[in-house]
Amino acid sequence: ALENIEGKMGEKVGLPCCHEIPSLESLQSYRIYWQKNKTEVVLAYSNGKKIFRHERYDNRTEMDTRNFTLWISPVEILDNGSYQCVVQELRLPRVVCNKHVTFFVTADYSTPNVTAEEIATSCESAEMMVTCSSHGGFPKPKVSGALDSKPVVWNNSQVFESSLGLYNVTAWLWVSLTEDSSFNCSIEYNGLVKSTTVLLKKTNDCVVLTVPPPYNVITASSVVIVIFLLALILAARYLPRH
């Protein structure tokens, strides 16, 4: 039998076994092993007594003495993995049952932090470096971005693993804005999503100058005016005589 169990870091989670002691019997009739990844014994009972507990699970595990559920609290990232519960009957002796449990541990990422730094600006556009970061999650995330609801391809993204086995992620994008735009960053992990949307504002620092007419237009206009004035002077001088 195989069962998948999900749990979050810090929670109390029970991994189910495959046998429940009948009401007329007791724990003394059984030997129970809980092991991880087929090599590491987590907990073992025989003749009603605990005969082994792994030091990494000390003070964090207990077993239900009727149905052999393994309770882990608080869950750590390193608890992620495959477990096996083996139940043996001592008097025959025989294996009563054998159960495999895959335990998926998740840790919530922080709400993405989105920042934008303006690198250059002109009348037409603003060049910005947009950064999205999130930390403290598990498993490894997928980071996606959208500018005005259109998906973007990050220029660069990096995932770092912390000492606790948790992941921190940062992604960068270079954008050229011609107008105010909405930017969304989403962190996806194990079917869960954390998302942040911000408004990227284009600073409008354009100064509109009154453009002077070109030089050749000024010259032509001046010549016309001079000729017109000369004609007036000549007309004033000669007309009264005739």
Side-chain angles (χ1 to χ4, degrees):
L2 174 63
E3 192 169 341
N4 293 332
I5 299 290
E6 290 191 5
K8 282 190 180 175
M9 187 178 83
E11 289 182 346
K12 181 176 184 177
V13 175
L15 306 184
C17 191
C18 48
H19 186 72
E20 186 155 345
I21 301 176
S23 55
L24 296 174
E25 290 184 26
S26 73
L27 190 62
Q28 268 131 341
S29 310
Y30 296 91
R31 180 183 287 123
I32 306 104
Y33 290 99
W34 266 105
Q35 56 191 30
K36 184 184 179 201
N37 300 335
K38 296 183 179 174
T39 55
E40 189 177 284
V41 176
V42 177
L43 199 62
Y45 274 78
S46 185
N47 278 311
K49 293 191 182 74
K50 193 187 294 173
I51 56 170
F52 182 82
R53 190 204 303 258
H54 194 288
E55 60 184 13
R56 207 177 73 69
Y57 295 91
D58 217 14
N59 301 324
R60 289 198 308 119
T61 54
E62 57 184 270
M63 190 187 77
D64 187 300
T65 54
R66 295 307 299 180
N67 64 13
F68 313 140
T69 295
L70 178 69
W71 289 96
I72 305 175
S73 176
V75 167
E76 295 177 357
I77 292 301
L78 290 172
D79 296 334
N80 197 67
S82 58
Y83 290 77
Q84 185 180 13
C85 177
V86 181
V87 181
Q88 297 172 325
E89 217 165 26
L90 290 173
R91 58 191 170 86
L92 289 176
R94 70 185 179 101
V95 174
V96 178
C97 72
N98 181 347
K99 173 149 187 174
H100 293 268
V101 179
T102 305
F103 186 27
F104 294 103
V105 178
T106 61
D108 283 336
Y109 281 85
S110 64
T111 301
N113 181 37
V114 180
T115 58
E117 184 187 353
E118 199 168 71
I119 308 297
T121 187
S122 67
C123 269
E124 293 76 33
S125 67
E127 308 294 326
M128 285 185 176
M129 180 62 78
V130 180
T131 306
C132 176
S133 60
S134 179
H135 61 270
F138 189 89
K140 270 191 178 180
K142 179 186 172 220
V143 191
S144 55
L147 187 64
D148 287 334
S149 303
K150 292 189 187 105
V152 298
V153 177
W154 298 101
N155 289 89
N156 192 9
S157 67
Q158 290 182 322
V159 177
F160 304 96
E161 188 176 354
S162 73
S163 56
L164 295 169
L166 299 169
Y167 291 106
N168 302 330
V169 60
T170 304
W172 295 271
L173 179 71
W174 182 278
V175 291
S176 184
L177 288 189
T178 54
E179 59 187 3
D180 292 357
S181 300
S182 166
F183 186 82
N184 173 271
C185 178
S186 295
I187 311 286
E188 298 168 53
Y189 57 106
N190 203 47
L192 303 165
V193 179
K194 285 282 181 83
S195 180
T196 297
T197 302
V198 297
L199 182 66
L200 303 179
K201 292 183 80 68
K202 178 190 175 297
T203 53
N204 191 2
D205 57 357
C206 292
V207 179
V208 180
L209 296 171
T210 312
V211 181
Y215 175 72
N216 53 355
V217 175
I218 296 170
T219 309
S221 305
S222 304
V223 169
V224 169
I225 292 165
V226 167
I227 290 169
F228 179 70
L229 288 171
L230 280 171
L232 278 179
I233 293 163
L234 288 169
R237 183 171 291 184
Y238 293 105
L239 279 175
R241 293 183 184 177
H242 302 286

